[in-house]
Amino acid sequence: MRVGVFYFPTDYGIHTAELARALEDRGFDSLFVCEHTHIPVSRRTPFPGGGELPRRYSHTHDPFVALSFAAAATSKLLLGTGVCLVPQRDPIVTAKSVASLDLMSGGRFIFGIGGGWNVDEMENHGARHATRFTLMRERVLAMKEMWTKEEASFHGEMVNLDPLWSYPKPAQKPHPPILLGGESDHTLRRVVEFCDGWFPRPRGFVAKEGVARLKSMADKMGRDASTLSITVFGAPNEAAALAEYEAQGIQRALLAVPDLDRDGILAALDKLAPLAAAHKT
Protein backbone atom coordinates (compact mmCIF):
# COMPACT_ATOMS: atom_id res chain seq x y z
CA MET A 1 0.00 0.00 0.00
CA ARG A 2 1.09 3.57 -0.68
CA VAL A 3 0.49 6.68 1.40
CA GLY A 4 -0.18 10.06 -0.18
CA VAL A 5 -1.93 13.26 0.84
CA PHE A 6 -4.75 15.52 -0.20
CA TYR A 7 -4.74 19.29 0.03
CA PHE A 8 -6.97 22.28 -0.68
CA PRO A 9 -4.53 24.37 -2.79
CA THR A 10 -5.29 27.90 -1.62
CA ASP A 11 -4.02 31.36 -2.43
CA TYR A 12 -2.91 31.80 1.20
CA GLY A 13 -1.28 28.40 1.72
CA ILE A 14 1.93 26.77 0.55
CA HIS A 15 2.77 26.96 -3.16
CA THR A 16 1.84 23.69 -4.83
CA ALA A 17 5.29 23.27 -6.38
CA GLU A 18 6.99 23.57 -2.99
CA LEU A 19 4.46 21.21 -1.42
CA ALA A 20 5.03 18.65 -4.16
CA ARG A 21 8.82 18.77 -3.76
CA ALA A 22 8.45 18.41 0.00
CA LEU A 23 6.20 15.39 -0.42
CA GLU A 24 8.52 13.69 -2.90
CA ASP A 25 11.55 14.35 -0.69
CA ARG A 26 9.73 12.78 2.28
CA GLY A 27 8.70 9.66 0.40
CA PHE A 28 4.98 10.26 -0.07
CA ASP A 29 3.32 8.51 -2.99
CA SER A 30 0.96 11.18 -4.27
CA LEU A 31 -0.64 14.60 -4.02
CA PHE A 32 -4.37 14.94 -4.63
CA VAL A 33 -5.94 18.41 -4.72
CA CYS A 34 -9.53 19.39 -4.05
CA GLU A 35 -11.79 21.51 -6.24
CA HIS A 36 -14.45 24.15 -5.82
CA THR A 37 -14.78 26.59 -8.70
CA HIS A 38 -16.39 29.16 -6.41
CA ILE A 39 -18.74 29.36 -3.41
CA PRO A 40 -22.05 31.22 -3.90
CA VAL A 41 -22.58 33.89 -1.28
CA SER A 42 -26.17 32.65 -0.81
CA ARG A 43 -24.85 29.62 1.14
CA ARG A 44 -28.19 27.88 0.59
CA THR A 45 -26.51 24.48 0.80
CA PRO A 46 -25.43 23.53 4.34
CA PHE A 47 -21.86 22.34 4.79
CA PRO A 48 -21.97 18.51 5.05
CA GLY A 49 -19.42 18.61 7.84
CA GLY A 50 -21.66 20.84 9.95
CA GLY A 51 -21.09 24.38 11.15
CA GLU A 52 -19.55 27.15 9.08
CA LEU A 53 -17.97 26.37 5.74
CA PRO A 54 -14.17 26.39 6.20
CA ARG A 55 -12.34 29.26 4.54
CA ARG A 56 -10.34 26.99 2.22
CA TYR A 57 -13.43 25.99 0.23
CA SER A 58 -13.71 29.44 -1.33
CA HIS A 59 -9.96 29.97 -1.89
CA THR A 60 -8.91 26.99 -4.04
CA HIS A 61 -6.78 27.23 -7.16
CA ASP A 62 -7.86 25.47 -10.33
CA PRO A 63 -6.76 21.86 -9.77
CA PHE A 64 -5.20 21.32 -13.18
CA VAL A 65 -3.17 24.52 -12.99
CA ALA A 66 -2.03 23.67 -9.45
CA LEU A 67 -1.07 20.12 -10.41
CA SER A 68 0.84 21.36 -13.45
CA PHE A 69 3.15 23.28 -11.12
CA ALA A 70 3.44 20.16 -8.93
CA ALA A 71 4.28 18.03 -11.97
CA ALA A 72 6.99 20.41 -13.15
CA ALA A 73 8.62 20.41 -9.71
CA THR A 74 8.79 16.62 -9.29
CA SER A 75 9.68 13.45 -11.19
CA LYS A 76 7.98 10.58 -9.36
CA LEU A 77 5.10 11.98 -7.31
CA LEU A 78 1.67 10.90 -8.55
CA LEU A 79 -0.79 13.75 -9.12
CA GLY A 80 -4.53 13.49 -8.60
CA THR A 81 -7.78 15.38 -8.30
CA GLY A 82 -9.63 14.71 -5.09
CA VAL A 83 -12.16 15.31 -6.45
CA CYS A 84 -12.79 16.96 -9.79
CA LEU A 85 -16.44 18.05 -9.93
CA VAL A 86 -17.29 16.64 -13.35
CA PRO A 87 -20.92 17.91 -13.46
CA GLN A 88 -19.49 21.44 -13.26
CA ARG A 89 -16.99 20.99 -16.10
CA ASP A 90 -17.24 20.97 -19.88
CA PRO A 91 -16.23 17.45 -20.99
CA ILE A 92 -14.26 18.53 -24.07
CA VAL A 93 -12.17 21.04 -22.11
CA THR A 94 -11.74 18.63 -19.19
CA ALA A 95 -10.69 15.76 -21.45
CA LYS A 96 -7.96 17.98 -22.90
CA SER A 97 -6.82 19.13 -19.43
CA VAL A 98 -6.58 15.54 -18.19
CA ALA A 99 -4.76 14.31 -21.28
CA SER A 100 -2.36 17.28 -21.36
CA LEU A 101 -1.43 16.93 -17.69
CA ASP A 102 -0.99 13.17 -17.96
CA LEU A 103 1.16 13.42 -21.09
CA MET A 104 3.34 16.27 -19.86
CA SER A 105 3.85 14.66 -16.42
CA GLY A 106 4.95 11.36 -17.94
CA GLY A 107 1.79 9.45 -17.06
CA ARG A 108 1.49 10.46 -13.41
CA PHE A 109 -2.11 11.68 -13.26
CA ILE A 110 -5.01 10.02 -11.39
CA PHE A 111 -8.51 11.33 -12.15
CA GLY A 112 -10.49 11.39 -8.91
CA ILE A 113 -14.07 12.48 -9.59
CA GLY A 114 -17.31 13.22 -7.75
CA GLY A 115 -20.81 14.53 -8.27
CA GLY A 116 -20.58 17.40 -5.80
CA TRP A 117 -22.71 18.45 -2.82
CA ASN A 118 -23.12 22.24 -3.17
CA VAL A 119 -26.43 22.68 -4.98
CA ASP A 120 -26.13 26.41 -5.70
CA GLU A 121 -22.53 25.99 -6.89
CA MET A 122 -23.46 23.38 -9.48
CA GLU A 123 -26.54 25.33 -10.56
CA ASN A 124 -24.27 28.25 -11.48
CA HIS A 125 -22.71 25.86 -14.01
CA GLY A 126 -26.06 24.80 -15.44
CA ALA A 127 -26.07 21.42 -13.65
CA ARG A 128 -28.89 20.13 -11.46
CA HIS A 129 -28.52 18.22 -8.21
CA ALA A 130 -31.15 15.63 -9.16
CA THR A 131 -29.44 14.69 -12.43
CA ARG A 132 -25.78 15.29 -11.55
CA PHE A 133 -24.82 11.63 -11.56
CA THR A 134 -26.40 10.99 -14.96
CA LEU A 135 -24.50 14.01 -16.25
CA MET A 136 -21.26 12.86 -14.60
CA ARG A 137 -21.55 9.36 -16.07
CA GLU A 138 -22.16 10.59 -19.60
CA ARG A 139 -19.36 13.15 -19.42
CA VAL A 140 -16.91 10.49 -18.22
CA LEU A 141 -17.98 8.10 -20.97
CA ALA A 142 -17.62 10.88 -23.53
CA MET A 143 -14.14 11.73 -22.23
CA LYS A 144 -13.12 8.09 -22.52
CA GLU A 145 -14.07 8.22 -26.17
CA MET A 146 -11.94 11.34 -26.67
CA TRP A 147 -8.95 9.77 -24.91
CA THR A 148 -9.06 6.49 -26.81
CA LYS A 149 -10.46 7.17 -30.31
CA GLU A 150 -8.96 9.08 -33.21
CA GLU A 151 -12.45 10.24 -34.15
CA ALA A 152 -14.58 10.40 -31.02
CA SER A 153 -18.33 10.78 -30.69
CA PHE A 154 -20.91 10.25 -27.97
CA HIS A 155 -24.68 10.43 -27.83
CA GLY A 156 -26.50 10.14 -24.52
CA GLU A 157 -29.40 11.64 -22.68
CA MET A 158 -27.49 14.76 -21.57
CA VAL A 159 -24.25 14.74 -23.59
CA ASN A 160 -24.18 14.73 -27.39
CA LEU A 161 -20.95 15.04 -29.35
CA ASP A 162 -20.74 14.54 -33.09
CA PRO A 163 -17.45 13.09 -34.43
CA LEU A 164 -14.46 15.19 -33.36
CA TRP A 165 -10.69 15.14 -33.04
CA SER A 166 -9.30 15.62 -29.55
CA TYR A 167 -5.58 15.70 -28.83
CA PRO A 168 -3.27 15.12 -27.08
CA LYS A 169 -3.98 11.59 -25.93
CA PRO A 170 -2.98 10.63 -22.37
CA ALA A 171 0.35 8.92 -21.74
CA GLN A 172 -1.40 6.19 -19.74
CA LYS A 173 -3.35 3.68 -21.79
CA PRO A 174 -6.21 3.52 -22.29
CA HIS A 175 -6.42 6.60 -20.02
CA PRO A 176 -5.51 7.73 -16.48
CA PRO A 177 -7.19 5.77 -13.67
CA ILE A 178 -10.65 7.11 -12.81
CA LEU A 179 -11.55 6.95 -9.10
CA LEU A 180 -15.08 7.76 -7.93
CA GLY A 181 -15.76 9.23 -4.50
CA GLY A 182 -18.66 8.18 -2.27
CA GLU A 183 -19.66 5.33 0.04
CA SER A 184 -23.11 4.16 -1.07
CA ASP A 185 -24.10 1.11 -3.09
CA HIS A 186 -25.05 3.52 -5.89
CA THR A 187 -21.42 4.70 -5.89
CA LEU A 188 -20.16 1.13 -6.04
CA ARG A 189 -22.33 0.36 -9.06
CA ARG A 190 -20.92 3.41 -10.85
CA VAL A 191 -17.36 2.42 -9.88
CA VAL A 192 -17.82 -1.04 -11.36
CA GLU A 193 -19.63 0.23 -14.46
CA PHE A 194 -17.32 2.97 -15.71
CA CYS A 195 -14.44 3.65 -13.28
CA ASP A 196 -11.13 2.05 -12.28
CA GLY A 197 -11.27 2.52 -8.55
CA TRP A 198 -13.24 3.46 -5.47
CA PHE A 199 -12.45 6.63 -3.49
CA PRO A 200 -14.29 6.30 -0.14
CA ARG A 201 -13.95 8.37 3.02
CA PRO A 202 -13.39 6.63 6.37
CA ARG A 203 -16.71 7.80 7.84
CA GLY A 204 -18.60 5.42 5.56
CA PHE A 205 -15.91 2.81 5.07
CA VAL A 206 -14.65 -0.15 7.13
CA ALA A 207 -11.69 -1.81 5.45
CA LYS A 208 -12.64 -5.50 5.48
CA GLU A 209 -16.31 -4.83 4.84
CA GLY A 210 -15.53 -2.29 2.12
CA VAL A 211 -13.27 -4.64 0.19
CA ALA A 212 -15.95 -7.32 0.38
CA ARG A 213 -18.66 -4.89 -0.79
CA LEU A 214 -16.67 -3.87 -3.83
CA LYS A 215 -15.91 -7.48 -4.76
CA SER A 216 -19.57 -8.44 -4.33
CA MET A 217 -20.70 -5.62 -6.61
CA ALA A 218 -18.05 -6.49 -9.20
CA ASP A 219 -19.10 -10.15 -9.16
CA LYS A 220 -22.76 -9.15 -9.51
CA MET A 221 -22.00 -6.94 -12.51
CA GLY A 222 -19.59 -9.35 -14.19
CA ARG A 223 -16.34 -7.46 -13.68
CA ASP A 224 -13.06 -8.79 -12.31
CA ALA A 225 -12.64 -7.11 -8.91
CA SER A 226 -8.84 -7.29 -9.26
CA THR A 227 -9.06 -4.58 -11.93
CA LEU A 228 -10.49 -2.13 -9.35
CA SER A 229 -8.45 -0.26 -6.76
CA ILE A 230 -9.38 1.39 -3.46
CA THR A 231 -7.93 4.71 -2.31
CA VAL A 232 -9.13 5.93 1.10
CA PHE A 233 -9.56 9.72 1.14
CA GLY A 234 -8.83 11.35 4.50
CA ALA A 235 -7.40 8.24 6.12
CA PRO A 236 -6.60 8.40 9.86
CA ASN A 237 -3.09 9.51 10.81
CA GLU A 238 -2.73 6.30 12.78
CA ALA A 239 -0.29 3.48 12.14
CA ALA A 240 -2.76 0.79 13.24
CA ALA A 241 -5.49 2.00 10.89
CA LEU A 242 -3.10 2.14 7.94
CA ALA A 243 -1.76 -1.32 8.76
CA GLU A 244 -5.32 -2.66 8.67
CA TYR A 245 -5.91 -1.04 5.29
CA GLU A 246 -2.77 -2.68 3.96
CA ALA A 247 -3.70 -6.05 5.44
CA GLN A 248 -7.03 -5.90 3.58
CA GLY A 249 -5.34 -5.22 0.25
CA ILE A 250 -6.19 -1.52 -0.06
CA GLN A 251 -3.90 0.15 -2.57
CA ARG A 252 -3.59 3.71 -1.22
CA ALA A 253 -4.43 5.94 1.74
CA LEU A 254 -4.51 9.73 1.58
CA LEU A 255 -3.73 11.77 4.69
CA ALA A 256 -4.93 15.36 5.10
CA VAL A 257 -2.51 18.25 4.74
CA PRO A 258 -3.74 20.77 7.34
CA ASP A 259 -5.01 24.20 6.38
CA LEU A 260 -2.00 26.09 7.74
CA ASP A 261 0.66 28.46 6.46
CA ARG A 262 3.79 27.21 4.69
CA ASP A 263 5.86 26.58 7.82
CA GLY A 264 2.99 24.87 9.61
CA ILE A 265 2.40 22.57 6.65
CA LEU A 266 6.06 21.59 6.31
CA ALA A 267 6.21 20.81 10.04
CA ALA A 268 3.07 18.67 9.72
CA LEU A 269 4.60 16.74 6.80
CA ASP A 270 7.64 15.94 8.93
CA LYS A 271 5.34 14.35 11.49
CA LEU A 272 3.38 12.39 8.85
CA ALA A 273 6.43 11.19 6.90
CA PRO A 274 7.06 8.06 9.05
CA LEU A 275 3.59 6.80 8.11
CA ALA A 276 4.49 7.08 4.43
CA ALA A 277 7.83 5.40 5.00
CA ALA A 278 6.13 2.42 6.64
CA HIS A 279 4.06 1.68 3.51
CA LYS A 280 6.13 1.55 0.34
CA THR A 281 4.81 -1.49 -1.53
Side-chain angles (χ1 to χ4, degrees):
M1 187 183 78
R2 301 283 182 164
V3 175
V5 304
F6 75 90
Y7 177 58
F8 280 77
T10 67
D11 55 354
Y12 59 81
I14 190 171
H15 193 289
T16 318
E18 184 176 12
L19 174 61
R21 285 192 297 269
L23 291 167
E24 190 165 81
D25 290 346
R26 289 162 175 77
F28 287 90
D29 163 75
S30 51
L31 167 62
F32 284 68
V33 298
C34 306
E35 174 178 43
H36 280 279
T37 56
H38 67 294
I39 297 296
V41 174
S42 67
R43 296 297 304 114
R44 288 192 291 114
T45 309
F47 177 46
E52 291 297 317
L53 185 72
R55 179 188 181 201
R56 61 183 181 268
Y57 279 77
S58 57
H59 282 260
T60 56
H61 294 305
D62 177 271
F64 292 101
V65 173
L67 289 174
S68 294
F69 279 85
T74 56
S75 60
K76 297 179 182 179
L77 191 74
L78 299 182
L79 312 157
T81 46
V83 295
C84 177
L85 300 173
V86 172
Q88 299 181 186
R89 284 186 162 266
D90 177 272
I92 298 173
V93 174
T94 306
K96 185 175 286 287
S97 295
V98 168
S100 298
L101 178 55
D102 191 61
L103 182 64
M104 297 183 77
S105 69
R108 289 189 280 148
F109 182 62
I110 301 172
F111 193 28
I113 65 171
W117 58 267
N118 193 319
V119 176
D120 28 340
E121 179 184 352
M122 67 182 71
E123 286 180 350
N124 285 171
H125 290 279
R128 294 292 177 266
H129 189 265
T131 57
R132 70 195 189 283
F133 289 115
T134 299
L135 182 61
M136 180 185 71
R137 173 184 177 274
E138 291 191 3
R139 285 183 172 174
V140 169
L141 294 177
M143 285 189 278
K144 284 187 174 187
E145 292 293 300
M146 287 182 269
W147 293 326
T148 60
K149 303 286 179 61
E150 183 173 351
E151 290 189 5
S153 62
F154 183 85
H155 295 285
E157 179 185 344
M158 304 184 75
V159 176
N160 284 283
L161 302 175
D162 288 333
L164 57 83
W165 295 310
S166 177
Y167 287 88
K169 303 301 184 188
Q172 298 179 81
K173 304 303 179 187
H175 51 72
I178 302 170
L179 313 182
L180 177 60
E183 295 77 43
S184 69
D185 286 343
H186 295 297
T187 297
L188 286 174
R189 279 193 287 272
R190 296 178 185 113
V191 168
V192 173
E193 181 195 359
F194 60 88
C195 298
D196 305 294
W198 187 21
F199 208 10
R201 296 160 293 188
R203 68 188 183 200
F205 178 82
V206 177
K208 185 174 183 179
E209 174 189 309
V211 171
R213 284 177 64 204
L214 181 58
K215 184 179 187 306
S216 175
M217 186 65 72
D219 290 345
K220 186 183 302 183
M221 296 178 66
R223 182 166 177 182
D224 181 358
S226 69
T227 65
L228 297 166
S229 68
I230 298 177
T231 294
V232 181
F233 180 90
N237 301 343
E238 301 169 3
L242 297 181
E244 174 62 13
Y245 287 166
E246 185 165 38
Q248 296 302 325
I250 289 167
Q251 286 76 18
R252 180 178 291 107
L254 300 184
L255 310 179
V257 174
D259 188 30
L260 301 172
D261 62 13
R262 171 192 177 274
D263 291 344
I265 287 172
L266 293 176
L269 294 185
D270 288 337
K271 293 180 180 178
L272 294 175
L275 295 175
H279 301 275
K280 288 279 190 181
T281 59

